[in-house]
Amino acid sequence: MAPYAFTLWKNIFTIECWFDVPCPSVTSLSHRMDSGRQLPASKHECTLRGMTTHHISELEIKIVDTRDMTNVLYIRDLPKPSKHLSFHPSGSYLAVSCTDAIVYVYSISTEEPTLTQQFDGLIRSLETEDERSSKVIWHPDGRAFAIPTATRDVQVISRDDGEKQRVFSGGHMGDITALSWSPNGAMLATSASDRKILIWDTKTQKVIARYDYSGVINLAWHPYENIFSFVTSEGELFIYPNFLSQENLQLLQKPPQPAPFIHDPLSESSAKNRKTLTNGLKRPFENRPRRKGTPDSLDDILGPESGGEEDDFVEDDDGAGYLDEVNGYGKRTNGHLDGLDGPNVKRRATYQSWQPQIHQPFQPGSTPWRGNRRYLCLNLTGFVWTVDQDTHHTVTVEFYDREFHRDFHFTDPYLYDKACLNEHGTLFSCPPSGDNPAMIFYRPHETWTARADWRTQLPIGEDVTFTTSTNYVRVFTLFGTPFRIYRQKSSPTVTCASWRDYVLTMGNGAVGGDGCAKLLYTIENVKRDAVCQSEDIVAMTENAQVKSVFFSDNGDPCIYDSSGTLLILQHWRTPGQARWVPLLDTTTLERLAGGRKEETYWPVAVAQNKFHCIILKGGDQYPYFPKPLLSEFEFKVPCTAAVVEESPDSSVNEGSRLQESFVRSSLMLSLLEDLVSATNASHGQRTELSRREIEVDKVLLQLLNLECREGEERGMKALEIVSLMRDRGGKMLEAAGKVAGRYGRTVLQEKINELAERRLMGMNEEES
């Protein structure tokens, strides 16, 4: 028997081997490695832990914990025989390459292995006895894996989202038979049927070394030395010391390197986390000078020592180094001691200084890179997405209403990373690059001139981070005239949103007792130069984060947080009166009741009294391509416990629904009242206001009917419900009296009639 492949993870030793007899021990296997025995016709896989082997079938994988031999996991749902196994560096996942050209990734950190990902179309269909490889090779950082493709390339795949990343291509003229990452992930070794072993630079995906060896079917790097090993199909094991040349050895000596992503999410998140508070220091002890000697030291006070000849008892007259050197203050130096790592300060314990937790900046409606694509903006008007073409980007703007707007597409040499889309135009911005400053680009949808788009450059060192990196809020007119600039009080900036002349900005405020910065918001009318709300707190639950900020179609600020709650800002036009009111808790939706579905929601807009969103399934956090469909949900204010449809008491369910309807309709009426009173309302808006007032009274009338039906003892609550009616003409109060009379509640009917008479006379309830 000759080994086909072997991998090692901690206490798990996996051998993929050809055999026509039961698996031998590791000792006998080492002897057979040099025997050069020809390969039999059949091939199976066996998984070893420590020194224990287990003979398994083609459609079954058995995983045994050598620390507890009774702890056994089975994978029995494979549709086709397995060809390769590969453990994730953490030991939490197992990748299985099967003969049906599908890679299955299982989570083995639970009691039962669960299928977490499935990749189809990455590998070719290979039989188990085929020398060509389809094995998954995890990168040492665990965030991606490499796999040989049918085109003789090596494709890197992201573990989290399964998207294609960088590709190692153009190196081999034959099918790939083996591949292996270097221990630090800086290099990739591949072998193929073209009798070549290639060493690739992970960062550049370029070949840096070539070796001529035939029949190689497995590769392995030494964990920390310049030693390389490989096995041939003839059963020969080669150990190659000093494998890399001095030119390439420096790559092996580097610290752990990241997986080759097109856009590395780790580096992007690290760039965000590097930002500190305005008054904070990035590295407070980096440039602090060493403390010098004090002028009132003991030597300065007493003067030089005068102890006679005994002070010079040992003299270094021959330069042999008997005495330690002294500095300018007559003190013995520490040159004989080893150097200390870390900053050159006396009190090293303060190096890891405490830093407050701040809210990270984000762009509403945008998504991170997934492969080479990402959404720059996504709302009810349309969406903007970009594709990374290595040397440039290509940007596409599409609209939902193609009769009103026309889609467009252009080549982007500036690498725009932020965008905003509305009914007037599209705004882009790009970060500074080298000597090129950050830039803002605006393209209107419809103009009556030949060219109306404009670009402007920001000052050097300033970047667009939803306001700017210097916490400036820059206001431009629609066609590029600078209108206003000011510095935001709360910093660092988190995000911003706008509607007509109103701008909402969010930033980090004071640090609370939990070590987290408060999230503050400000709303102002930039045209009138009037502040509506100044540095008010965004109301959120503990550990929740804002996922999106936007204005509704009626111009009311809304936020959607990580707990799945949609909130709207009420009375925001009156200074000091604003409050965040929940419109919908998506975790209480009926479609999620009973755990039938596991899904989250990507907020898009609040329009036409509905919540428009994208449903995300399979644990996704962001929408992706192809263009997702929009879903809409009715508002449901979480004012009572969730309604139980199977409850035998129908009046309880009906009462809960009516109470929620009353609170919700009252909230929508209040929002419309604020809009009508603060703007030059149209006739349609005033008509809608009257309709909503009647709608609130109708819900109260239904609640009154329910209370009267329950009995006379509900009379006090029934009268309270009637007093909440807004109707001043008396029609609704008259209808309420008829409802009480229908159920024979004469006392209640009399009370309602008295209330109607007082309102008709213009008397308040407090005056009676």
Side-chain angles (χ1 to χ4, degrees), residues 552-572:
S552 68
D553 57 343
N554 290 326
D556 295 308
C558 302
I559 62 172
Y560 185 81
D561 62 22
S562 56
S563 66
T565 305
L566 173 69
L567 298 103
I568 194 168
L569 193 61
Q570 186 184 21
H571 304 316
W572 59 272

Side-chain angles (χ1 to χ4, degrees), residues 23-175:
C23 292
S25 65
V26 175
T27 303
S28 60
L29 181 61
S30 301
H31 174 73
R32 289 173 181 261
M33 280 185 176
D34 299 326
S35 64
R37 180 178 177 181
Q38 298 296 323
L39 300 176
S42 63
K43 180 250 179 186
H44 291 270
E45 295 184 332
C46 60
T47 300
L48 307 177
R49 295 212 175 205
M51 300 299 292
T52 306
T53 65
H54 300 274
H55 187 174
I56 57 177
S57 66
E58 290 184 335
L59 299 179
E60 180 179 306
I61 297 176
K62 182 178 181 181
I63 307 171
V64 182
D65 188 352
T66 54
R67 294 165 298 185
D68 183 6
M69 300 296 292
T70 61
N71 185 13
V72 181
L73 300 179
Y74 291 92
I75 299 177
R76 297 188 174 97
D77 56 351
L78 295 177
K80 293 292 183 179
S82 60
K83 181 173 174 60
H84 301 289
L85 300 177
S86 180
F87 282 103
H88 186 269
S90 66
S92 302
Y93 300 95
L94 179 67
V96 183
S97 302
C98 293
T99 58
D100 57 357
I102 299 178
V103 176
Y104 303 90
V105 179
Y106 289 87
S107 173
I108 57 176
S109 59
T110 56
E111 295 182 357
E112 291 292 334
T114 56
L115 180 64
T116 59
Q117 288 176 306
Q118 179 176 317
F119 301 94
D120 193 0
L122 289 179
I123 59 176
R124 68 172 71 192
S125 179
L126 300 176
E127 296 300 324
T128 56
E129 64 272 9
D130 201 317
E131 289 187 0
R132 293 174 293 181
S133 176
S134 61
K135 185 175 183 179
V136 166
I137 303 297
W138 294 96
H139 190 272
D141 70 0
R143 297 183 300 134
F145 63 81
I147 192 166
T149 65
T151 58
R152 300 172 179 175
D153 300 330
V154 177
Q155 179 67 61
V156 178
I157 305 295
S158 172
R159 184 201 67 186
D160 293 335
D161 52 28
E163 290 301 316
K164 294 181 179 179
Q165 302 298 328
R166 299 295 183 183
V167 59
F168 298 80
S169 61
H172 287 291
M173 302 301 294
D175 295 325

